[in-house]
Structures are given as structure tokens and as C-alpha cells.
Amino acid sequence: MIIRRQTRKIDVGGVAIGGDSPISVQSMTNTDTRDTESTIDQILRLEKAGCEIVRSAVLDMEAAAAIRTIRDGITIPIIADIHFDYRLALAAMENGAQGIRINPGNLGGEAKLAKVIDAAKLHKVPVRVGVNSGSIEKDLLKTYGYPTAENPKALIESALRNVRLVESHGYHEMKISIKSSDVMTTVSGYQQLSKLTDYPLHLGVTEAGGLIAGTVKSSVALGILLSQGIGDTFRISLTRDPVEEIRVGFELLRSLKIRERGPELISCPTCGRTQINLFKLAEEVERYVQTMVTPIKVAVMGCIVNGPGEAKEADLGVTGGNGVGIIFKKGVIYKKVAEEDLLETFMAELKKAEEEGQNS
């Protein structure tokens, strides 16, 4: 049983983070924020996949102003990602940003930070203090050295220094992130930080890589931390369509039995017995179940051997071969169809299961 670390609770646009609130799954848009139509379209796809908070880069005043239009077109909270220019943080909050991600130490000094915090108080906007291995202050690197798994002190002290800067202006609506591209540095850093503060923690491995490398690195690091009760919200960072980040995020939570959203999909790895186009079938089913919210178990199997028998716990499954498609429920054959009609028929069964789940 996982025992959650006790943290203070903050509110990001109606989504609670920390305390006893569910661990939330985030992503970040990769569109040009100034292109509001494309950005809204991407966020709506993220919402459909289950994304609960979204972050967008604010590179200039036009992007800051675009936050208003984007917020009006979506339903989940939007966080403005700010670097260096404090005026962008002010403009983003004026235009409806429901959170800001900043590194307080790189905004240009105490006076500029004070203006940002005053605006955060005014607009009731929480602050994410975000520090990466590549953005640590030079004096801390000189004192502690570059952060490693054995010695992440520079990363931790940089975060706490910036937290103290915000606190010095009388503001405590914060969450903290300390990210590294190295898995074990990330794990060690968060483990040690969690003992030094009760602010909610945003987890992530920065610059994790593409679909395979990024999924593995993020799942290892975040899986270790979440299993230890560390972490209140997170992003799986992938060089990929951000919708994939949400899919990986919820599968991670499901595997740890922390949260469950939508169907659990199981499929066999294929072998010489496979006589249907299992890759295409599994891909199409996987794409569809990501739009579902009913927590059923769905199986896509390659042959009769691995079909109803090995997947008998599945609520709904599909297999086939030699021109025949089979749909089964709880290990019992439910329907036989021609192989060319299998995908369409199975999709109809999935839709029916989703409707029944929502009406139950």
C-alpha cells in the first residue's frame, strides 16, 4: 500500500494539488501559443485524453495576450511558462493564466520578482518554482558541484533558495519541481527534497527523449517516487504528440494502482501462431480506448491459444485467424464474424460497453 507524503494543498484553476487530492496528470502544448486556433485544438485533444492541467510557453507579449483566447476555448486550467522576462508573467496573469511556472532567480532581481508575486496575489494564481539541472546558479554549482544521483544538493538548494525568495514576499501558494535528464539524479533529488519541505511537488524527467526512451526513463523515475508516496502532480515529457504523454501518465498511475481512467488494454506480443493483422488491430483498438472513461479490461490477442483462454479475465476481447474473427467476454466466445468485419464489429462492442458503463 502506498502512503502519500503529506503536503499542503493549492488550487490551480479549480484543480486541487497536494494534500489528499488525486495525483494530477499534466502536459505542455508544443504549438506556437500565438496560434490560438492550433493551440486550442491541441488542448481539446489533450482534454479528451484525460489531461487535467496544461502548460503553454509564453515567449512574448503576443503569446501572453493569446492566453485569454485560449482559456476561453478550453475547460482545463492553463499555466503560463515564463522565462527571464517578468513582464510576460504579469501580462499572462492579466490575460487569465491560472498558474505560472517561473524560476524566481532569473526574473531580473527582487523588485521585478515582487511585481510578479503581487500580481499572483491579486489574481490568486499559484506559482510553480521550477529548477532544472541546466539552470542552477553559478555559486551553487561552485559550492556543491553539478547535481548527480549521489549529490543532488545544488538542485535542491537552488529550488529552496527560490522558494524562500517567493516566501519573502509573503506568498506561499507554490509547488516545486527539480528536474534532471538523468533518472537517478531526479529520484535522489526529489527523495531528499521531500524531507525538507511540505510544498506539493511536480514530478518530471526533463528532456527524457522520444516515445520509447522517454516513456522508460519517466516511468522508472516517477514510478519509484510515486510508489514511495512522493509527488502530487506530474508530466511525462516526450518528444512526441503531447497526447501520448497523457496516455503514458495514466498507464503509470494504473500500474501502481493509484488511479484508473478508461480501459486497461492487454495484448499478446505475437508469435508464429498469429494469423491476423494483430499490429493494426491493436493499434486501432488502442487509439479508440484512449477516448473511453469506463474502467474495463480489453484484450487484443493474436490467436485462439492466447485468446479466450489466457485473456479470460478481460471484460471484452478480440482474436481470430483463418478468415474468422472472434469476440469474447470473460473468456467465453460471444460472437464470430468474418475477419474483414472484425474491427468494425469490435469497435461497436466497445462503444456499447462505454455507454453501459456511463449509464450504470
Side-chain angles (χ1 to χ4, degrees):
M1 178 181 177
I2 297 174
I3 300 175
R4 287 276 299 279
R5 163 180 168 266
Q6 292 302 302
T7 58
R8 61 181 79 189
K9 186 181 293 187
I10 64 172
D11 182 275
V12 180
V15 175
I17 295 176
D20 59 355
S21 55
I23 297 170
S24 55
V25 181
Q26 304 191 22
S27 186
M28 186 173 183
T29 56
N30 59 16
T31 56
D32 184 336
T33 306
R34 296 166 296 190
D35 182 350
T36 56
E37 184 177 352
S38 294
T39 302
I40 289 171
D41 286 346
Q42 187 172 82
I43 295 173
L44 292 178
R45 289 197 303 112
L46 284 166
E47 289 181 3
K48 193 173 182 180
C51 182
E52 292 160 313
I53 299 172
V54 69
R55 181 161 47 107
S56 292
V58 176
L59 303 176
D60 56 23
M61 283 297 178
E62 185 181 350
I67 294 291
R68 173 60 62 189
T69 301
I70 295 168
R71 178 176 167 178
D72 289 344
I74 63 177
T75 61
I76 59 176
I78 183 168
I79 295 176
D81 190 86
I82 309 293
H83 285 280
F84 305 115
D85 192 340
Y86 80 100
R87 295 169 298 180
L88 297 179
L90 301 180
M93 286 185 278
E94 289 169 2
N95 282 284
Q98 292 146 296
I100 56 170
R101 186 273 191 190
I102 60 172
N103 184 331
N106 70 16
L107 291 179
E110 283 287 313
K112 293 176 180 177
L113 175 60
K115 291 180 180 179
V116 171
I117 300 305
D118 285 344
K121 292 177 182 177
L122 175 64
H123 296 288
K124 294 182 173 57
V125 169
V127 174
R128 174 180 148 199
V129 174
V131 176
N132 293 344
S133 291
S135 63
I136 297 172
E137 298 87 336
K138 292 181 180 178
D139 66 308
L140 294 178
L141 290 175
K142 184 177 181 180
T143 300
Y144 298 109
Y146 191 81
T148 63
E150 295 72 28
N151 178 25
K153 290 182 180 178
L155 198 58
I156 296 167
E157 184 52 39
S158 178
L160 293 178
R161 172 187 286 184
N162 285 289
V163 165
R164 290 191 289 267
L165 281 175
V166 177
E167 289 177 332
S168 71
H169 294 281
Y171 203 55
H172 299 83
E173 297 301 304
M174 281 183 282
K175 61 180 181 290
I176 309 172
S177 67
I178 52 167
K179 294 186 178 182
S180 169
S181 59
D182 179 74
V183 168
M184 296 314 297
T185 301
T186 299
V187 171
S188 178
Y190 276 110
Q191 287 172 335
Q192 294 184 38
L193 178 63
S194 69
K195 300 175 183 178
L196 301 174
T197 178
D198 67 348
Y199 284 109
L201 298 181
H202 172 99
L203 304 183
V205 176
T206 190
E207 301 161 358
L211 181 61
I212 303 300
T215 295
V216 172
K217 290 172 70 174
S218 294
S219 296
V220 170
L222 274 60
I224 292 172
L225 292 167
L226 291 169
S227 70
Q228 295 173 353
I230 299 169
D232 302 282
T233 183
F234 68 87
R235 175 193 175 194
I236 302 290
S237 298
L238 302 176
T239 309
R240 195 78 173 190
D241 183 337
V243 170
E244 302 282 1
E245 299 181 353
I246 303 303
R247 295 169 62 180
V248 174
F250 275 103
E251 285 302 321
L252 175 58
L253 291 176
R254 187 203 305 277
S255 69
L256 293 169
K257 301 189 184 303
I258 293 175
R259 289 186 67 186
E260 193 170 24
R261 181 189 185 276
E264 176 185 359
L265 179 64
I266 60 174
S267 60
C268 68
T270 76
C271 68
R273 287 188 294 266
T274 304
Q275 295 179 324
I276 60 173
N277 189 345
L278 188 66
F279 292 162
K280 182 177 186 299
L281 181 61
E283 183 178 328
E284 292 296 328
V285 171
E286 183 177 21
R287 182 179 293 113
Y288 184 79
V289 299
Q290 295 303 319
T291 67
M292 298 172 63
V293 296
T294 303
I296 61 173
K297 181 175 286 189
V298 177
V300 180
M301 311 303 284
C303 68
I304 298 300
V305 172
N306 287 332
E310 293 192 17
K312 61 176 178 283
E313 293 183 2
D315 297 290
L316 191 61
V318 62
T319 187
N322 293 323
V324 177
I326 295 173
I327 297 172
F328 56 92
K329 295 182 178 182
K330 294 292 186 181
V332 178
I333 295 176
Y334 166 70
K335 187 178 291 187
K336 290 184 178 181
V337 298
E339 185 177 338
E340 60 266 26
D341 299 327
L342 181 58
L343 179 60
E344 182 180 352
T345 305
F346 192 61
M347 291 298 190
E349 292 294 333
L350 288 172
K351 183 178 181 181
K352 181 181 176 182
E354 174 78 339
E355 292 172 348
E356 290 174 350
Q358 291 181 342
N359 293 329
S360 63

